Amino acid sequence: MPFVELDTSLPAERLPPGLAQTLCAATADILGKPAERVNVTVRSGLAMVLSGSAEPCAQLVVSSIGVVGTAEQNKAHSARFFDILTAQLGLGQERIVIRFYPLEPWQIGKNRTVMTFL
């Protein structure tokens, strides 16, 4: 059950229509998970500073069970997410940062229990 959170200083009107859905489909493909299990949040117009600069930027946080736990996995994921983000946001890769967080099944609640028991 991947969670993807995109924070950007870009105003909402500068984001492409359907960005959340595009990120959902891309995440499913990149992480090899069904789109029905992907959760996406997009927050725009934020006051952000990246590498000491307030120029337009974005930060992506990717959390998931079993597929973001190694440097090798995340290196491959990073390249693919950067391709999507630079194309969709019109930002250079130096204005984007990605953080990966591995999750355990007991850390995600669903249907009044946790994923461990589903």
Side-chain angles (χ1 to χ4, degrees):
M1 178 170 282
F3 297 87
V4 174
E5 299 175 47
L6 176 66
D7 291 335
T8 182
S9 60
L10 293 170
E13 56 272 8
R14 282 209 30 212
L15 301 180
L19 178 60
Q21 197 62 42
T22 299
L23 278 176
C24 179
T27 299
D29 183 51
I30 292 167
L31 300 182
K33 301 278 187 172
E36 298 79 33
R37 298 193 119 186
V38 176
N39 302 282
V40 176
T41 302
V42 175
R43 290 179 287 267
S44 59
L46 300 174
M48 296 176 67
V49 173
L50 178 67
S51 301
S53 170
E55 290 296 314
C57 62
Q59 175 177 263
L60 187 73
V61 178
V62 180
S63 308
S64 189
I65 298 170
V67 294
V68 296
T70 69
E72 292 78 18
Q73 287 173 319
N74 293 342
K75 181 180 178 186
H77 300 330
S78 181
R80 294 183 68 195
F81 276 116
F82 268 96
D83 289 344
I84 296 294
L85 293 173
T86 55
Q88 291 292 309
L89 301 178
L91 297 173
Q93 61 186 8
E94 72 283 353
R95 299 303 303 154
I96 300 169
V97 66
I98 302 173
R99 291 185 292 150
F100 295 97
Y101 290 100
L103 295 173
E104 297 295 330
W106 55 266
Q107 293 175 305
I108 302 171
K110 186 171 178 171
N111 296 333
R112 300 182 66 194
T113 187
V114 292
M115 293 300 292
T116 304
F117 301 106
L118 293 176

